[in-house]
């Protein structure tokens, strides 16, 4: 989990703009009613942006809580000194209860076995653990069926003195593309909340919206949102950006030309025969391969502010055809894999074209040997 931060000069790096992260939070918060709490989701190494530095920034920016899915992520955050609530968004195994209690995590619950085990551990060390009940409204992944929730809550209240039911929540299946399905999920959740209210068992927090819900279903903000990919400025709708004005990506994935070769017509470039020069060419070898998070199939790279085609891939480098670049490209010139250079830009979405992949998956692939350079704008 430890990030390599600026200890050595490296040929490839990920620049991460924390001023933009703060702006994104401010803009997204502006979409919410005042009482709505902001859970920032930092699972998956903060969507590839680096778990601990991003979490520390989010805590400083005033987020209410952090969401993760692996207990190892939550523990890394506590070890780094994060004090705000950390919620497990996926079920824990009963055998992980002690670890969860020790680190004072907020637990998602959808079964009795975990509830009893967490309660037992909490009692053992005289703590009260916050839990959020997960309800299945149609995603069919985790969660209790709506008609079983009241009974489940009563059972916890009766048998688990060391659990406090702080929240209840659900998760949408396809909020970006399927309005009728999402409306049905909201209706099911609302009906449940109404019933719990009437019976006097409604937990204080209710939440449903991740990025799609935040942007498209303000009626489903309740009193907390769980904001993931939007926080990082990276959500798209059928190729059309639906980000609120001013919410922008944080990253620039930058590398350098480390060698320039001249090849004749018919000569191969790089491993195998993936690319054979069809003309006399200038080829730049650029640091950055799938060992860094550059997927096979990325199409272009920016050099001298111009988009040039990548022609071959390896673990540690790629080759790009710079024959048509204006100006004299030299070794150690900067090359941008994703981000801006001059007036040109390659987005993470563009990096996904033709790959059957998505932005969050590509971001995940940035490996640990790429130093992350966090900065604030001056
Ligand atoms: C990942 C996740 C989120 C955040 O989703 P985004 O679409 O990235 O905002 C919210 N809630 C749950 C349960 C999740 O697993």
């Amino acid at each position: 989990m430890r990030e390599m931060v600026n200890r050595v000069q490296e040929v490839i790096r990920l620049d991460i703009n924390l001023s933009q992260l703060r702006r994104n939070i401010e803009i997204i918060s502006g979409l919410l009613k005042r009482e709505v709490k902001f859970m920032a989701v930092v699972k998956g190494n903060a969507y590839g942006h680096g778990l601990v530095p991003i979490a520390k920034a989010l805590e400083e920016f005033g987020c209410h809580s952090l969401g993760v899915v692996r207990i190892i992520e939550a523990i890394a955050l506590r070890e780094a000194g994060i004090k705000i609530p950390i919620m497990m968004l996926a079920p824990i195994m009963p055998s992980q209860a002690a670890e969860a209690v020790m680190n004072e995590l907020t637990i998602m619950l959808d079964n009795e076995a975990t509830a009893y085990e967490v309660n037992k551990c909490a009692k053992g060390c005289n703590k009260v653990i916050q839990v959020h009940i997960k309800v299945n409204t149609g995603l069919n992944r985790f969660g209790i069926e709506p008609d079983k929730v009241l009974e489940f809550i009563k059972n916890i209240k009766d048998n688990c003195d060391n659990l406090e039911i702080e929240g209840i929540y659900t998760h949408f299946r396809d909020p970006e593309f399927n309005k009728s399905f999402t409306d049905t999920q909201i209706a099911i959740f609302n009906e449940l909340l109404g019933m719990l209210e009437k019976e006097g068992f409604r937990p204080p927090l209710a939440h449903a919206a991740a990025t799609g819900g935040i942007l498209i279903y303000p009626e489903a903000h309740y009193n907390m949102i769980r904001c993931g990919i939007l926080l990082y400025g990276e959500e798209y709708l059928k190729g059309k950006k639906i980000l609120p004005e001013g919410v922008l990506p944080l990253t620039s994935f930058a590398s350098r030309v480390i060698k320039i070769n001249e090849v004749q017509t018919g000569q191969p470039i790089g491993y195998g025969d993936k690319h054979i020069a069809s003309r006399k060419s200038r080829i730049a070898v650029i640091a950055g391969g799938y060992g860094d998070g550059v997927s096979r199939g990325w199409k272009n790279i920016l050099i001298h502010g111009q988009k040039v085609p990548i022609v071959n891939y390896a673990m540690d480098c790629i080759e790009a055809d710079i024959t048509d670049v204006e100006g004299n490209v030299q070794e150690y010139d900067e090359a941008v894999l994703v981000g801006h250079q001059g007036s040109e830009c390659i987005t993470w979405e563009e990096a996904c074209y033709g790959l059957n992949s998505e932005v969050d998956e590509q971001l995940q692939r940035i490996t640990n040997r790429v130093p992350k350079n966090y900065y604030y704008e001056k």
Side-chain angles (χ1 to χ4, degrees), residues 299-330:
K299 305 277 181 304
N300 296 304
I301 188 164
L302 300 176
I303 297 178
H304 284 211
Q306 295 160 67
K307 233 173 238 190
V308 296
I310 299 170
V311 298
N312 210 342
Y313 307 84
M315 183 183 286
D316 307 310
C317 59
I318 52 178
E319 285 91 18
D321 186 338
I322 56 169
T323 315
D324 298 329
V325 173
E326 289 162 29
N328 183 24
V329 178
Q330 296 185 336

PDB file of all heavy atoms in Angstrom, residues 299-330:
ATOM      1  N   LYS A 299      -3.849   3.571 -27.920  1.00  0.00           N
ATOM      2  CA  LYS A 299      -3.616   3.913 -29.329  1.00  0.00           C
ATOM      3  C   LYS A 299      -2.538   4.981 -29.530  1.00  0.00           C
ATOM      4  O   LYS A 299      -1.773   4.909 -30.480  1.00  0.00           O
ATOM      5  CB  LYS A 299      -4.909   4.438 -29.968  1.00  0.00           C
ATOM      6  CG  LYS A 299      -6.113   3.505 -29.853  1.00  0.00           C
ATOM      7  CD  LYS A 299      -6.098   2.438 -30.933  1.00  0.00           C
ATOM      8  CE  LYS A 299      -7.321   1.527 -30.839  1.00  0.00           C
ATOM      9  NZ  LYS A 299      -7.501   0.865 -29.523  1.00  0.00           N
ATOM     10  N   ASN A 300      -2.550   5.987 -28.677  1.00  0.00           N
ATOM     11  CA  ASN A 300      -1.737   7.175 -28.964  1.00  0.00           C
ATOM     12  C   ASN A 300      -0.982   7.653 -27.736  1.00  0.00           C
ATOM     13  O   ASN A 300      -1.296   7.281 -26.602  1.00  0.00           O
ATOM     14  CB  ASN A 300      -2.642   8.321 -29.440  1.00  0.00           C
ATOM     15  CG  ASN A 300      -3.335   8.005 -30.743  1.00  0.00           C
ATOM     16  OD1 ASN A 300      -2.684   7.698 -31.738  1.00  0.00           O
ATOM     17  ND2 ASN A 300      -4.659   8.028 -30.725  1.00  0.00           N
ATOM     18  N   ILE A 301      -0.024   8.517 -28.014  1.00  0.00           N
ATOM     19  CA  ILE A 301       0.713   9.193 -26.951  1.00  0.00           C
ATOM     20  C   ILE A 301       0.989  10.612 -27.450  1.00  0.00           C
ATOM     21  O   ILE A 301       0.960  10.849 -28.669  1.00  0.00           O
ATOM     22  CB  ILE A 301       2.001   8.407 -26.635  1.00  0.00           C
ATOM     23  CG1 ILE A 301       2.704   8.973 -25.410  1.00  0.00           C
ATOM     24  CG2 ILE A 301       2.940   8.336 -27.832  1.00  0.00           C
ATOM     25  CD1 ILE A 301       3.745   8.031 -24.840  1.00  0.00           C
ATOM     26  N   LEU A 302       1.196  11.542 -26.521  1.00  0.00           N
ATOM     27  CA  LEU A 302       1.479  12.920 -26.924  1.00  0.00           C
ATOM     28  C   LEU A 302       2.977  13.184 -26.824  1.00  0.00           C
ATOM     29  O   LEU A 302       3.596  12.936 -25.793  1.00  0.00           O
ATOM     30  CB  LEU A 302       0.738  13.910 -26.025  1.00  0.00           C
ATOM     31  CG  LEU A 302      -0.786  13.813 -26.010  1.00  0.00           C
ATOM     32  CD1 LEU A 302      -1.371  14.799 -24.986  1.00  0.00           C
ATOM     33  CD2 LEU A 302      -1.352  14.093 -27.390  1.00  0.00           C
ATOM     34  N   ILE A 303       3.530  13.687 -27.924  1.00  0.00           N
ATOM     35  CA  ILE A 303       4.939  14.129 -27.941  1.00  0.00           C
ATOM     36  C   ILE A 303       4.981  15.477 -28.657  1.00  0.00           C
ATOM     37  O   ILE A 303       4.370  15.617 -29.733  1.00  0.00           O
ATOM     38  CB  ILE A 303       5.840  13.098 -28.662  1.00  0.00           C
ATOM     39  CG1 ILE A 303       5.822  11.763 -27.898  1.00  0.00           C
ATOM     40  CG2 ILE A 303       7.273  13.619 -28.777  1.00  0.00           C
ATOM     41  CD1 ILE A 303       6.635  10.653 -28.538  1.00  0.00           C
ATOM     42  N   HIS A 304       5.628  16.445 -28.048  1.00  0.00           N
ATOM     43  CA  HIS A 304       5.655  17.804 -28.621  1.00  0.00           C
ATOM     44  C   HIS A 304       4.244  18.315 -28.907  1.00  0.00           C
ATOM     45  O   HIS A 304       3.996  18.964 -29.918  1.00  0.00           O
ATOM     46  CB  HIS A 304       6.495  17.841 -29.900  1.00  0.00           C
ATOM     47  CG  HIS A 304       7.979  17.817 -29.629  1.00  0.00           C
ATOM     48  ND1 HIS A 304       8.911  18.426 -30.421  1.00  0.00           N
ATOM     49  CD2 HIS A 304       8.677  17.266 -28.617  1.00  0.00           C
ATOM     50  CE1 HIS A 304      10.128  18.231 -29.928  1.00  0.00           C
ATOM     51  NE2 HIS A 304      10.002  17.531 -28.818  1.00  0.00           N
ATOM     52  N   GLY A 305       3.302  17.957 -28.028  1.00  0.00           N
ATOM     53  CA  GLY A 305       1.935  18.441 -28.193  1.00  0.00           C
ATOM     54  C   GLY A 305       1.200  17.841 -29.380  1.00  0.00           C
ATOM     55  O   GLY A 305       0.163  18.340 -29.786  1.00  0.00           O
ATOM     56  N   GLN A 306       1.739  16.751 -29.931  1.00  0.00           N
ATOM     57  CA  GLN A 306       1.082  16.096 -31.077  1.00  0.00           C
ATOM     58  C   GLN A 306       0.778  14.652 -30.739  1.00  0.00           C
ATOM     59  O   GLN A 306       1.547  13.996 -30.050  1.00  0.00           O
ATOM     60  CB  GLN A 306       2.002  16.165 -32.317  1.00  0.00           C
ATOM     61  CG  GLN A 306       2.224  17.597 -32.797  1.00  0.00           C
ATOM     62  CD  GLN A 306       3.469  17.721 -33.667  1.00  0.00           C
ATOM     63  OE1 GLN A 306       3.523  17.176 -34.774  1.00  0.00           O
ATOM     64  NE2 GLN A 306       4.466  18.426 -33.170  1.00  0.00           N
ATOM     65  N   LYS A 307      -0.370  14.183 -31.259  1.00  0.00           N
ATOM     66  CA  LYS A 307      -0.767  12.803 -31.013  1.00  0.00           C
ATOM     67  C   LYS A 307      -0.045  11.890 -31.986  1.00  0.00           C
ATOM     68  O   LYS A 307      -0.142  12.081 -33.205  1.00  0.00           O
ATOM     69  CB  LYS A 307      -2.274  12.683 -31.247  1.00  0.00           C
ATOM     70  CG  LYS A 307      -3.028  12.061 -30.097  1.00  0.00           C
ATOM     71  CD  LYS A 307      -4.523  12.116 -30.305  1.00  0.00           C
ATOM     72  CE  LYS A 307      -5.180  12.855 -29.156  1.00  0.00           C
ATOM     73  NZ  LYS A 307      -6.638  12.766 -29.161  1.00  0.00           N
ATOM     74  N   VAL A 308       0.688  10.907 -31.470  1.00  0.00           N
ATOM     75  CA  VAL A 308       1.386   9.979 -32.366  1.00  0.00           C
ATOM     76  C   VAL A 308       0.971   8.547 -32.035  1.00  0.00           C
ATOM     77  O   VAL A 308       0.638   8.239 -30.893  1.00  0.00           O
ATOM     78  CB  VAL A 308       2.929  10.127 -32.274  1.00  0.00           C
ATOM     79  CG1 VAL A 308       3.368  11.501 -32.748  1.00  0.00           C
ATOM     80  CG2 VAL A 308       3.425   9.873 -30.875  1.00  0.00           C
ATOM     81  N   PRO A 309       0.992   7.667 -33.044  1.00  0.00           N
ATOM     82  CA  PRO A 309       0.524   6.297 -32.816  1.00  0.00           C
ATOM     83  C   PRO A 309       1.545   5.433 -32.075  1.00  0.00           C
ATOM     84  O   PRO A 309       2.739   5.463 -32.399  1.00  0.00           O
ATOM     85  CB  PRO A 309       0.302   5.755 -34.233  1.00  0.00           C
ATOM     86  CG  PRO A 309       1.170   6.590 -35.116  1.00  0.00           C
ATOM     87  CD  PRO A 309       1.307   7.933 -34.467  1.00  0.00           C
ATOM     88  N   ILE A 310       1.047   4.684 -31.089  1.00  0.00           N
ATOM     89  CA  ILE A 310       1.865   3.657 -30.431  1.00  0.00           C
ATOM     90  C   ILE A 310       1.863   2.444 -31.354  1.00  0.00           C
ATOM     91  O   ILE A 310       0.805   2.050 -31.855  1.00  0.00           O
ATOM     92  CB  ILE A 310       1.260   3.281 -29.053  1.00  0.00           C
ATOM     93  CG1 ILE A 310       1.224   4.508 -28.140  1.00  0.00           C
ATOM     94  CG2 ILE A 310       2.039   2.132 -28.417  1.00  0.00           C
ATOM     95  CD1 ILE A 310       0.434   4.294 -26.843  1.00  0.00           C
ATOM     96  N   VAL A 311       3.037   1.866 -31.603  1.00  0.00           N
ATOM     97  CA  VAL A 311       3.082   0.754 -32.566  1.00  0.00           C
ATOM     98  C   VAL A 311       3.420  -0.595 -31.928  1.00  0.00           C
ATOM     99  O   VAL A 311       3.179  -1.638 -32.534  1.00  0.00           O
ATOM    100  CB  VAL A 311       4.040   1.052 -33.746  1.00  0.00           C
ATOM    101  CG1 VAL A 311       3.557   2.272 -34.532  1.00  0.00           C
ATOM    102  CG2 VAL A 311       5.474   1.251 -33.268  1.00  0.00           C
ATOM    103  N   ASN A 312       3.986  -0.586 -30.722  1.00  0.00           N
ATOM    104  CA  ASN A 312       4.251  -1.876 -30.074  1.00  0.00           C
ATOM    105  C   ASN A 312       4.355  -1.677 -28.565  1.00  0.00           C
ATOM    106  O   ASN A 312       4.560  -0.555 -28.099  1.00  0.00           O
ATOM    107  CB  ASN A 312       5.528  -2.523 -30.627  1.00  0.00           C
ATOM    108  CG  ASN A 312       5.466  -4.056 -30.571  1.00  0.00           C
ATOM    109  OD1 ASN A 312       4.653  -4.632 -29.835  1.00  0.00           O
ATOM    110  ND2 ASN A 312       6.325  -4.709 -31.344  1.00  0.00           N
ATOM    111  N   TYR A 313       4.191  -2.787 -27.823  1.00  0.00           N
ATOM    112  CA  TYR A 313       4.081  -2.745 -26.359  1.00  0.00           C
ATOM    113  C   TYR A 313       4.985  -3.789 -25.733  1.00  0.00           C
ATOM    114  O   TYR A 313       5.146  -4.882 -26.269  1.00  0.00           O
ATOM    115  CB  TYR A 313       2.651  -3.096 -25.926  1.00  0.00           C
ATOM    116  CG  TYR A 313       1.592  -2.282 -26.598  1.00  0.00           C
ATOM    117  CD1 TYR A 313       1.121  -2.641 -27.854  1.00  0.00           C
ATOM    118  CD2 TYR A 313       1.068  -1.156 -25.981  1.00  0.00           C
ATOM    119  CE1 TYR A 313       0.147  -1.889 -28.492  1.00  0.00           C
ATOM    120  CE2 TYR A 313       0.098  -0.397 -26.607  1.00  0.00           C
ATOM    121  CZ  TYR A 313      -0.364  -0.767 -27.867  1.00  0.00           C
ATOM    122  OH  TYR A 313      -1.319  -0.018 -28.480  1.00  0.00           O
ATOM    123  N   ALA A 314       5.498  -3.471 -24.565  1.00  0.00           N
ATOM    124  CA  ALA A 314       6.203  -4.467 -23.765  1.00  0.00           C
ATOM    125  C   ALA A 314       5.931  -4.162 -22.290  1.00  0.00           C
ATOM    126  O   ALA A 314       5.139  -3.277 -21.970  1.00  0.00           O
ATOM    127  CB  ALA A 314       7.703  -4.427 -24.063  1.00  0.00           C
ATOM    128  N   MET A 315       6.574  -4.895 -21.405  1.00  0.00           N
ATOM    129  CA  MET A 315       6.333  -4.677 -19.978  1.00  0.00           C
ATOM    130  C   MET A 315       6.853  -3.311 -19.532  1.00  0.00           C
ATOM    131  O   MET A 315       6.270  -2.657 -18.683  1.00  0.00           O
ATOM    132  CB  MET A 315       7.000  -5.779 -19.153  1.00  0.00           C
ATOM    133  CG  MET A 315       6.726  -5.641 -17.658  1.00  0.00           C
ATOM    134  SD  MET A 315       7.563  -6.887 -16.666  1.00  0.00           S
ATOM    135  CE  MET A 315       6.572  -8.323 -17.054  1.00  0.00           C
ATOM    136  N   ASP A 316       7.965  -2.889 -20.120  1.00  0.00           N
ATOM    137  CA  ASP A 316       8.653  -1.708 -19.597  1.00  0.00           C
ATOM    138  C   ASP A 316       8.625  -0.498 -20.515  1.00  0.00           C
ATOM    139  O   ASP A 316       8.979   0.599 -20.103  1.00  0.00           O
ATOM    140  CB  ASP A 316      10.118  -2.067 -19.313  1.00  0.00           C
ATOM    141  CG  ASP A 316      10.209  -3.280 -18.433  1.00  0.00           C
ATOM    142  OD1 ASP A 316       9.533  -3.293 -17.388  1.00  0.00           O
ATOM    143  OD2 ASP A 316      10.902  -4.248 -18.801  1.00  0.00           O
ATOM    144  N   CYS A 317       8.285  -0.722 -21.777  1.00  0.00           N
ATOM    145  CA  CYS A 317       8.284   0.410 -22.713  1.00  0.00           C
ATOM    146  C   CYS A 317       7.308   0.162 -23.849  1.00  0.00           C
ATOM    147  O   CYS A 317       6.826  -0.947 -24.051  1.00  0.00           O
ATOM    148  CB  CYS A 317       9.691   0.659 -23.253  1.00  0.00           C
ATOM    149  SG  CYS A 317      10.378  -0.755 -24.119  1.00  0.00           S
ATOM    150  N   ILE A 318       7.020   1.243 -24.539  1.00  0.00           N
ATOM    151  CA  ILE A 318       6.240   1.163 -25.774  1.00  0.00           C
ATOM    152  C   ILE A 318       7.048   1.856 -26.863  1.00  0.00           C
ATOM    153  O   ILE A 318       7.978   2.612 -26.562  1.00  0.00           O
ATOM    154  CB  ILE A 318       4.868   1.847 -25.630  1.00  0.00           C
ATOM    155  CG1 ILE A 318       5.034   3.262 -25.084  1.00  0.00           C
ATOM    156  CG2 ILE A 318       3.932   1.032 -24.757  1.00  0.00           C
ATOM    157  CD1 ILE A 318       3.737   4.037 -24.955  1.00  0.00           C
ATOM    158  N   GLU A 319       6.689   1.565 -28.115  1.00  0.00           N
ATOM    159  CA  GLU A 319       7.307   2.262 -29.223  1.00  0.00           C
ATOM    160  C   GLU A 319       6.246   3.091 -29.934  1.00  0.00           C
ATOM    161  O   GLU A 319       5.111   2.642 -30.091  1.00  0.00           O
ATOM    162  CB  GLU A 319       7.935   1.261 -30.214  1.00  0.00           C
ATOM    163  CG  GLU A 319       9.233   0.643 -29.721  1.00  0.00           C
ATOM    164  CD  GLU A 319       9.052  -0.660 -28.946  1.00  0.00           C
ATOM    165  OE1 GLU A 319       7.970  -1.281 -29.071  1.00  0.00           O
ATOM    166  OE2 GLU A 319       9.980  -1.063 -28.215  1.00  0.00           O
ATOM    167  N   ALA A 320       6.637   4.307 -30.312  1.00  0.00           N
ATOM    168  CA  ALA A 320       5.707   5.176 -31.027  1.00  0.00           C
ATOM    169  C   ALA A 320       6.376   5.684 -32.296  1.00  0.00           C
ATOM    170  O   ALA A 320       7.585   5.940 -32.323  1.00  0.00           O
ATOM    171  CB  ALA A 320       5.292   6.350 -30.145  1.00  0.00           C
ATOM    172  N   ASP A 321       5.556   5.824 -33.334  1.00  0.00           N
ATOM    173  CA  ASP A 321       6.077   6.294 -34.622  1.00  0.00           C
ATOM    174  C   ASP A 321       6.047   7.823 -34.646  1.00  0.00           C
ATOM    175  O   ASP A 321       4.979   8.429 -34.674  1.00  0.00           O
ATOM    176  CB  ASP A 321       5.202   5.715 -35.751  1.00  0.00           C
ATOM    177  CG  ASP A 321       5.775   6.036 -37.128  1.00  0.00           C
ATOM    178  OD1 ASP A 321       6.562   7.003 -37.251  1.00  0.00           O
ATOM    179  OD2 ASP A 321       5.429   5.313 -38.080  1.00  0.00           O
ATOM    180  N   ILE A 322       7.233   8.433 -34.612  1.00  0.00           N
ATOM    181  CA  ILE A 322       7.300   9.902 -34.555  1.00  0.00           C
ATOM    182  C   ILE A 322       7.755  10.510 -35.886  1.00  0.00           C
ATOM    183  O   ILE A 322       8.135  11.682 -35.944  1.00  0.00           O
ATOM    184  CB  ILE A 322       8.234  10.384 -33.418  1.00  0.00           C
ATOM    185  CG1 ILE A 322       9.636   9.781 -33.560  1.00  0.00           C
ATOM    186  CG2 ILE A 322       7.639  10.051 -32.056  1.00  0.00           C
ATOM    187  CD1 ILE A 322      10.669  10.423 -32.626  1.00  0.00           C
ATOM    188  N   THR A 323       7.668   9.694 -36.937  1.00  0.00           N
ATOM    189  CA  THR A 323       8.137  10.174 -38.241  1.00  0.00           C
ATOM    190  C   THR A 323       7.476  11.500 -38.636  1.00  0.00           C
ATOM    191  O   THR A 323       8.118  12.377 -39.203  1.00  0.00           O
ATOM    192  CB  THR A 323       7.827   9.111 -39.336  1.00  0.00           C
ATOM    193  OG1 THR A 323       8.199   7.835 -38.846  1.00  0.00           O
ATOM    194  CG2 THR A 323       8.572   9.413 -40.622  1.00  0.00           C
ATOM    195  N   ASP A 324       6.173  11.632 -38.308  1.00  0.00           N
ATOM    196  CA  ASP A 324       5.417  12.803 -38.762  1.00  0.00           C
ATOM    197  C   ASP A 324       5.390  13.953 -37.765  1.00  0.00           C
ATOM    198  O   ASP A 324       4.706  14.954 -38.000  1.00  0.00           O
ATOM    199  CB  ASP A 324       3.982  12.389 -39.103  1.00  0.00           C
ATOM    200  CG  ASP A 324       3.937  11.379 -40.250  1.00  0.00           C
ATOM    201  OD1 ASP A 324       4.834  11.445 -41.122  1.00  0.00           O
ATOM    202  OD2 ASP A 324       3.032  10.525 -40.257  1.00  0.00           O
ATOM    203  N   VAL A 325       6.086  13.795 -36.651  1.00  0.00           N
ATOM    204  CA  VAL A 325       6.060  14.881 -35.660  1.00  0.00           C
ATOM    205  C   VAL A 325       6.855  16.073 -36.173  1.00  0.00           C
ATOM    206  O   VAL A 325       7.975  15.919 -36.673  1.00  0.00           O
ATOM    207  CB  VAL A 325       6.647  14.399 -34.309  1.00  0.00           C
ATOM    208  CG1 VAL A 325       6.790  15.566 -33.333  1.00  0.00           C
ATOM    209  CG2 VAL A 325       5.773  13.312 -33.717  1.00  0.00           C
ATOM    210  N   GLU A 326       6.242  17.230 -36.056  1.00  0.00           N
ATOM    211  CA  GLU A 326       6.961  18.443 -36.432  1.00  0.00           C
ATOM    212  C   GLU A 326       7.902  18.829 -35.301  1.00  0.00           C
ATOM    213  O   GLU A 326       7.564  18.701 -34.133  1.00  0.00           O
ATOM    214  CB  GLU A 326       5.964  19.581 -36.689  1.00  0.00           C
ATOM    215  CG  GLU A 326       5.169  19.385 -37.975  1.00  0.00           C
ATOM    216  CD  GLU A 326       3.918  20.242 -38.004  1.00  0.00           C
ATOM    217  OE1 GLU A 326       3.931  21.321 -37.385  1.00  0.00           O
ATOM    218  OE2 GLU A 326       2.942  19.798 -38.627  1.00  0.00           O
ATOM    219  N   GLY A 327       9.044  19.312 -35.661  1.00  0.00           N
ATOM    220  CA  GLY A 327      10.033  19.665 -34.628  1.00  0.00           C
ATOM    221  C   GLY A 327      10.913  18.467 -34.352  1.00  0.00           C
ATOM    222  O   GLY A 327      10.563  17.322 -34.664  1.00  0.00           O
ATOM    223  N   ASN A 328      12.031  18.729 -33.764  1.00  0.00           N
ATOM    224  CA  ASN A 328      13.040  17.702 -33.599  1.00  0.00           C
ATOM    225  C   ASN A 328      12.909  17.007 -32.240  1.00  0.00           C
ATOM    226  O   ASN A 328      13.371  17.508 -31.226  1.00  0.00           O
ATOM    227  CB  ASN A 328      14.426  18.363 -33.742  1.00  0.00           C
ATOM    228  CG  ASN A 328      15.540  17.343 -33.660  1.00  0.00           C
ATOM    229  OD1 ASN A 328      15.328  16.156 -33.938  1.00  0.00           O
ATOM    230  ND2 ASN A 328      16.710  17.811 -33.259  1.00  0.00           N
ATOM    231  N   VAL A 329      12.261  15.847 -32.225  1.00  0.00           N
ATOM    232  CA  VAL A 329      12.110  15.098 -30.966  1.00  0.00           C
ATOM    233  C   VAL A 329      13.476  14.583 -30.533  1.00  0.00           C
ATOM    234  O   VAL A 329      14.238  14.061 -31.341  1.00  0.00           O
ATOM    235  CB  VAL A 329      11.129  13.917 -31.141  1.00  0.00           C
ATOM    236  CG1 VAL A 329      11.026  13.116 -29.847  1.00  0.00           C
ATOM    237  CG2 VAL A 329       9.760  14.405 -31.588  1.00  0.00           C
ATOM    238  N   GLN A 330      13.760  14.763 -29.262  1.00  0.00           N
ATOM    239  CA  GLN A 330      15.045  14.308 -28.746  1.00  0.00           C
ATOM    240  C   GLN A 330      14.852  13.368 -27.571  1.00  0.00           C
ATOM    241  O   GLN A 330      13.810  13.374 -26.933  1.00  0.00           O
ATOM    242  CB  GLN A 330      15.874  15.523 -28.299  1.00  0.00           C
ATOM    243  CG  GLN A 330      16.188  16.404 -29.477  1.00  0.00           C
ATOM    244  CD  GLN A 330      17.108  17.547 -29.133  1.00  0.00           C
ATOM    245  OE1 GLN A 330      17.191  17.971 -27.987  1.00  0.00           O
ATOM    246  NE2 GLN A 330      17.802  18.027 -30.131  1.00  0.00           N
TER     247      GLN A 330
END
